[in-house]
Amino acid sequence: GHGNFCDLNELTAFADYKLPQVLRELGVIEYGKELRDIIDQEITIPQGSPMEVEIRAATVLAVELLKREFQKMGLSYISPQIDYMLWSLGQREEFRKKPYHKTPTIYY
């Protein structure tokens, strides 16, 4: 019926602004100095720019690698579940120490 999805396991992370912030705090992703300074100074990163695409790509890759590590531990999660776990961590103050990247867009 409507709203019944049989292929959620085919989805990857939703590369928004919150996940990279959490992944950075966890030490899962690291930015080069230039990008790190731009994010830390809260300078706007244009939508579709190489830096913004790099952040999104690193986020998706990190979630897929986390999924692989979970599988090695005998835990079976699909990427949207890991996305939700990370997003939920991002609601906690300890994961908001460093700023998230600023990219005005309708796609997040």
Side-chain angles (χ1 to χ4, degrees), residues 79-94:
S79 300
Q81 288 174 309
I82 297 169
D83 179 292
Y84 181 73
M85 287 184 247
L86 294 168
W87 183 88
S88 296
L89 288 175
Q91 305 313 302
R92 296 168 44 182
E93 197 58 42
E94 61 264 32

Side-chain angles (χ1 to χ4, degrees), residues 8-105:
L8 291 177
N9 60 315
E10 298 295 322
L11 293 176
T12 189
F14 309 111
D16 61 7
Y17 66 97
K18 205 68 183 147
L19 264 55
Q21 181 186 34
V22 172
L23 291 166
R24 183 180 178 200
E25 187 63 37
L26 291 170
V28 174
I29 61 174
E30 293 182 14
Y31 299 127
K33 181 175 176 13
E34 181 183 7
L35 181 54
R36 184 176 60 241
D37 289 347
I38 287 170
I39 293 170
D40 289 347
Q41 293 172 30
E42 301 189 34
I43 297 170
T44 299
I45 299 172
Q47 175 192 336
S49 68
M51 286 183 178
E52 193 245 355
V53 171
E54 178 182 345
I55 293 167
R56 284 176 165 230
T59 300
V60 170
L61 179 59
V63 169
E64 293 307 309
L65 293 173
L66 284 170
K67 181 169 70 173
R68 197 177 298 168
E69 291 302 312
F70 284 133
Q71 287 170 344
K72 288 178 185 177
M73 298 165 49
L75 301 170
S76 181
Y77 294 113
I78 61 173
S79 300
Q81 288 174 309
I82 297 169
D83 179 292
Y84 181 73
M85 287 184 247
L86 294 168
W87 183 88
S88 296
L89 288 175
Q91 305 313 302
R92 296 168 44 182
E93 197 58 42
E94 61 264 32
F95 289 93
R96 297 177 180 201
K97 294 175 187 170
K98 297 175 182 156
Y100 54 82
H101 71 282
K102 307 292 191 278
T103 299
T105 178

